[in-house]
Amino acid sequence: VCFPSGWDPAAKIGRDFAAIHAPVADAELLRASALALSRALTTQGPFVRFVWTVAPDGARSRHPADAPAPGDAPAPWFRCERQVSLPMPPGAAGDAAAALFLIRLLLAPLADAAHTPVRLATLRAALDSMSPATLAYKGLDARLDALRRWLDARAAG
């Protein structure tokens, strides 16, 4: 993983699906389905999903060791990962079932990604629907009011 989104890839090596996803907020159902999901990831697919957040800047790496220096954050950025999992052929990982997990990072200034009234409203509704735990997990809790003001100012005009 070249550009992690707020986590340390090295800390995940050798861990099972549930352990890897233990820090994810509001993901009880995901963790409860770990065995079935792991089986599907290693025998079916490919599977594609998108995970997004709003970042304080356009830095590609959000590795915990790459935390930005404190100070005024520039304009927000939309950060999206296109995640693809592909099952590995039998025997490719010895006797273990395995899947290849690919992440493509997509970054854009939020002003470019949310440039229409519909997109602004959709993003505002998504942020308003997030639990406090999810906002904290995504690092949006401390910036939520500023982000709402940013969205509202653009929606107004």
Side-chain angles (χ1 to χ4, degrees):
V1 176
C2 297
F3 307 115
S5 293
W7 55 281
D8 178 2
K12 306 300 183 179
I13 295 172
R15 299 177 79 191
D16 65 26
F17 186 93
I20 289 170
H21 293 90
V24 178
D26 300 326
E28 294 79 16
L29 184 59
L30 176 75
R31 288 184 292 275
S33 303
L35 183 58
L37 285 170
S38 295
R39 202 170 285 133
L41 290 172
T42 59
T43 62
Q44 300 172 30
F47 295 103
V48 179
R49 76 180 198 139
F50 294 87
V51 177
W52 67 273
T53 194
V54 177
D57 57 43
R60 295 182 69 75
S61 178
R62 308 290 321 160
H63 190 288
D66 297 333
D72 292 335
W77 281 65
F78 186 77
R79 180 182 182 90
C80 181
E81 291 181 354
R82 180 180 187 264
Q83 301 177 350
V84 178
S85 62
L86 301 162
M88 299 296 288
D95 293 334
L100 178 62
F101 184 64
L102 306 165
I103 301 172
R104 179 176 183 201
L105 177 62
L106 306 162
L107 280 170
L110 191 58
D112 292 348
H115 64 280
T116 68
V118 170
R119 287 185 177 188
L120 288 164
T122 300
L123 181 56
R124 175 65 192 253
L127 291 170
D128 290 345
S129 75
M130 291 181 189
S131 72
T134 295
L135 290 166
Y137 173 74
K138 288 179 166 284
L140 296 172
D141 51 345
R143 298 181 287 125
L144 185 60
D145 290 338
L147 187 53
R148 284 178 173 151
R149 284 191 303 274
W150 187 94
L151 291 165
D152 292 346
R154 273 145 189 83

